[in-house]
Amino acid sequence: EVTDLVAQIARARSGLAHPWRLDLSASHASLSRGLPSSESASIFLGRTLPNKVSITAGFERVRQFNLQDTYYEVQIGAPGGYLAVGGAPNAHFRPKLSAHGGLEATPMPLGAGLSAKLGIDGGWSRYAVGDVWIANPFVTLLAGERLDLTARMINVIDETKTYRTGYGLAASWRPTPVLELSAGWIAAPESTDGVTVPVKATIVGLAWRVNDRLSLRLGGVREVRNAYTRNEITVGLTGRF
């Protein structure tokens, strides 16, 4: 418990001492059935204000199926929630316009060092083929600062106005104050190809806080779709100043 508290205080002090945050990432994905590979890169810059409200803006450039989209987004966050608006003006497969957000309650103590919190996120996206709506309630079980488990119900009204549902499970473990390991499983409808299809995905990740100013990330995703299987690896870094 003391180690967890020290890590929590260190993160809070880092946020106050270095209010600016720069997130960079790049990924490469290979597709089965002879389909061309895809790449993406993103840059986001944010600032945390003294009242703990954060403002972040940036873009993600994605190339897949020999087409390229650039998605821009602005996000406002605060303890307990966030709101984001974005879009890709000349979209092929990313949303032309999107608005989404989320809320989560303060953790409720359960005893024995455990707590739980409820939340929901969702939003609306306009794709070339139509509008997609999502609403995802979730519950997270926390064991101090070291371990958390999240179960999420995924609800989608797709571009054909058909209701679809799925679920996601995720876990994060921090064996030391500077290292975080994560894993997840998702079986749900997904719309990033511009049309909603069922996807099963396995996700793994690693984050290493080098110091108060620099963190490094490495992640992998394996997606199984009806049309193809997709394997992606992502590297990223976060700088604070």
Side-chain angles (χ1 to χ4, degrees):
E1 292 179 354
V2 172
T3 302
D4 294 341
L5 181 59
V6 169
Q8 186 176 2
I9 292 172
R11 283 195 294 273
R13 287 178 174 171
S14 176
L16 293 173
H18 312 299
W20 289 95
R21 171 172 172 154
L22 177 65
D23 288 294
L24 306 175
S25 70
S27 67
H28 175 85
S30 60
L31 280 62
S32 64
R33 303 190 179 183
L35 294 171
S37 61
S38 64
E39 290 84 28
S40 68
S42 66
I43 301 175
F44 282 86
L45 178 65
R47 179 177 172 83
T48 301
L49 305 178
N51 59 2
K52 296 185 180 180
V53 172
S54 63
I55 302 174
T56 303
F59 68 90
E60 179 187 35
R61 181 163 294 173
V62 183
R63 185 186 65 81
Q64 64 181 25
F65 307 125
N66 295 322
L67 298 171
Q68 183 171 286
D69 278 355
T70 301
Y71 180 84
Y72 303 90
E73 185 174 272
V74 176
Q75 182 180 120
I76 299 175
Y82 74 95
L83 177 65
V85 177
N90 301 309
H92 299 95
F93 41 84
R94 296 301 305 273
K96 293 184 175 181
L97 188 63
S98 180
H100 56 99
L103 295 170
E104 61 181 32
T106 302
M108 302 171 292
L110 301 177
L114 300 177
S115 61
K117 63 180 178 181
L118 301 175
I120 185 169
D121 54 46
W124 159 85
S125 297
R126 171 155 291 172
Y127 291 90
V129 294
D131 293 356
V132 176
W133 297 83
I134 59 172
N136 307 326
F138 63 87
V139 57
T140 300
L141 180 66
L142 304 102
E145 288 279 313
R146 286 180 177 266
L147 178 67
D148 59 74
L149 306 171
T150 298
R152 185 182 305 268
M153 181 182 181
I154 299 171
N155 302 278
V156 176
I157 298 177
D158 70 11
E159 64 279 358
T160 65
K161 302 190 185 318
T162 300
Y163 171 71
R164 302 172 180 238
T165 188
Y167 69 93
L169 302 172
S172 295
W173 177 45
R174 288 161 286 277
T176 75
V178 300
L179 180 65
E180 178 177 347
L181 306 176
S182 59
W185 165 259
I186 297 174
E190 207 253 4
S191 305
T192 57
D193 281 355
V195 60
T196 304
V197 296
V199 175
K200 294 181 179 180
T202 303
I203 305 166
V204 294
L206 179 153
W208 175 37
R209 186 166 62 88
V210 180
N211 52 46
D212 287 347
R213 292 178 175 269
L214 179 64
S215 298
L216 304 177
R217 304 183 305 277
L218 177 65
V221 179
R222 179 178 176 83
E223 294 180 351
V224 179
R225 302 169 181 251
N226 293 335
Y228 59 85
T229 297
R230 182 173 182 271
N231 295 301
E232 179 181 83
I233 186 167
T234 300
V235 295
L237 65 85
T238 296
R240 297 181 182 275
F241 52 96

